[in-house]
Amino acid sequence: MDIYQALFRPILFSGVKVDPEWLHQQSFRVLGWLDQTYQSQVSHWLRAQLHRTYCLDDPRLQQCLWSITFTNPLGLAAGFDKDGVASGLWADFGFGFAELGTVTFHPQPGNPRPRLFRLLTDRAVLNRMGFNNQGAAVMAERLRKRWGQRGDGRGDGGDRPPSTAHFPLGINLGKSKITPLEEAAQDYLNSFRLLKDWGDYFVVNVSSPNTPGLRSLQDKVQLAPILQALQQENTEQKPLLVKIAPDLEWAAIADVLELAQEYHLAGIIATNTTIQRDGLKTRIIEQTGKPVTEEAGGISGVPIRARSTEVIRFIYKETQGQLPIIGVGGIFTAADAWEKITAGASLIQVYAGWIYEGPWMVRRILQGLLQKLDAEGLESIQQAVGRGN
């Protein structure tokens, strides 16, 4: 029995109606403690229980991308662990990788509360967090303490639990709200300089709807200087990706793909949250009493599923499968994950789905992917990438 879905979710979502952000913060108190005390016997025991419950290891799910080994294609999306508080813990929940952030160069509190809402009838999340985080310097120091001081920022693995010995971490970079748009390149560069030793790959986030003007940086003219500055600094050739919005027109996505080729990007993350409100069943946000159409923020979850898959398929076809894609948006089941992969995503990420489905979700999706491989007569998940095109 899935105790999360049977007991905890009904209480938290519909019973006591706990504020989602408060619940997130309390959860991270526990997760942060568990990760910080990873050398203690109690922590080792608890993490062993997590690993036994949630993890599924099978070589058919493994693939190598950018010279990084991913034990499975399912990752935790940016926005969940904004400050890298539990960076060493996500492998024990069964994830194949995790993306930290979004982090900005300047610490910032984010937008006024309330700013995080569940749209239960739509199985969606509306957020206007506004890149609340402690800043790149704090994240860099936290990761240094957690992972050691080797040049690659990940330590030698000698004191890590087995499940995290080769666990890939991405770092999602955003623009500080106080930084003018014309100085965005320097702002991203400052964060990258502080964090470049600690991430296995990096993401330029120019697609959040919750920082004024940020999405304008997806424009070819404005995005190019950011990518140029980062790649000039990127002497170790860490994989650099761009995360795009689902609301872009096809021509604008094609422009980003041209830049990806010009600046030797490692891939695209498709997609961020949407500002569209079409087709939502939710009419009123209970916490504010306002119509959902009047509430600012981006929507993730089921409403974005189809559009994100369309964008993945477009990118895969436009690049003839030569540019790796991380697919994110509305993944709740193995069927959702398979759809993203066969559309062209080499890796996939979850956020809203994990909140709704709970920690057992990862294992269920991985089991379902293995069943799909068997049904299709495939030997590895890599063979499924783009198979539906």
Side-chain angles (χ1 to χ4, degrees), residues 189 192-193 196-197 199-202 227-241 263-266:
L189 181 59
F192 181 69
R193 282 173 172 164
K196 61 181 179 180
D197 288 340
D200 291 295
Y201 72 86
F202 287 83
L227 301 180
Q228 182 178 25
L230 291 173
Q231 290 294 49
Q232 285 180 346
E233 180 71 20
N234 189 17
T235 56
E236 294 185 10
Q237 297 184 324
K238 292 290 182 76
L240 184 67
L241 296 84
Y263 290 101
H264 307 290
L265 295 187

Side-chain angles (χ1 to χ4, degrees), residues 81-195:
D81 191 354
K82 291 176 178 288
D83 294 301
V85 171
S87 63
L89 200 60
W90 301 119
D92 295 308
F93 283 98
F95 290 108
F97 66 106
E99 192 171 303
L100 310 178
T102 298
V103 62
T104 57
F105 178 62
H106 296 284
Q108 53 189 44
N111 292 322
R113 301 187 187 191
R115 54 193 183 182
L116 184 64
F117 312 93
R118 302 188 196 98
L119 311 186
L120 297 181
T121 56
D122 293 290
R123 292 173 67 75
V125 173
L126 168 63
N127 97 82
R128 50 169 178 263
M129 302 298 288
F131 289 166
N132 57 306
N133 73 103
Q134 297 171 348
V138 171
M139 178 185 281
E141 178 61 16
R142 179 174 288 121
L143 295 178
R144 184 194 67 78
K145 289 181 178 178
R146 178 61 180 84
W147 295 105
Q149 301 187 59
R150 248 181 72 181
D152 64 0
R154 302 298 304 280
D156 60 9
D159 57 0
R160 297 187 219 169
S163 59
T164 63
H166 304 287
F167 186 69
L169 290 175
I171 298 180
N172 187 296
L173 306 176
K175 184 190 76 69
S176 306
K177 187 176 182 179
I178 64 172
T179 300
L181 288 172
E182 58 270 20
E183 298 174 17
Q186 187 63 48
D187 192 77
Y188 282 97
L189 181 59
N190 289 339
S191 292
F192 181 69
R193 282 173 172 164
L194 288 170
L195 290 161

Side-chain angles (χ1 to χ4, degrees), residues 26-60:
Q26 300 312 307
S27 299
F28 264 84
R29 289 179 182 271
V30 177
L31 295 172
W33 169 83
L34 192 56
D35 195 35
Q36 292 163 18
T37 59
Y38 65 96
Q39 292 179 315
S40 72
Q41 289 184 347
V42 172
S43 181
H44 267 281
W45 182 84
L46 287 172
R47 297 183 63 176
Q49 306 313 305
L50 291 176
H51 187 83
R52 185 177 299 110
T53 302
Y54 301 125
C55 293
L56 176 62
D57 300 316
D58 191 297
R60 292 174 291 172

Side-chain angles (χ1 to χ4, degrees), residues 204-254:
V204 180
N205 187 344
V206 287
S207 52
S208 169
N210 301 318
T211 296
L214 185 75
R215 286 194 166 188
S216 68
L217 297 178
Q218 294 174 112
D219 181 77
K220 190 175 182 179
V221 174
Q222 297 198 62
L223 182 56
I226 298 172
L227 301 180
Q228 182 178 25
L230 291 173
Q231 290 294 49
Q232 285 180 346
E233 180 71 20
N234 189 17
T235 56
E236 294 185 10
Q237 297 184 324
K238 292 290 182 76
L240 184 67
L241 296 84
V242 169
K243 187 169 187 175
I244 63 172
D247 310 310
L248 287 178
E249 299 291 338
W250 298 124
I253 297 175

Side-chain angles (χ1 to χ4, degrees), residues 256-323:
V256 174
L257 297 181
E258 286 185 17
L259 289 179
Q261 182 176 15
E262 181 178 353
Y263 290 101
H264 307 290
L265 295 187
I268 302 290
I269 298 187
T271 60
N272 213 317
T273 58
T274 182
I275 57 174
Q276 299 298 319
R277 301 292 189 265
D278 300 338
L280 292 178
K281 300 174 184 177
T282 303
R283 294 287 180 260
I284 302 294
I285 300 296
E286 186 176 348
Q287 295 95 315
T288 65
K290 296 180 180 178
V292 68
T293 53
E294 296 180 10
E295 293 286 2
I299 290 178
S300 58
V302 169
I304 201 175
R305 179 189 293 157
R307 176 58 182 175
S308 66
T309 302
E310 288 179 351
V311 174
I312 291 166
R313 185 170 286 114
F314 176 82
I315 295 171
Y316 186 86
K317 290 181 177 179
E318 285 289 303
T319 62
Q320 298 181 338
Q322 297 304 302
L323 186 66

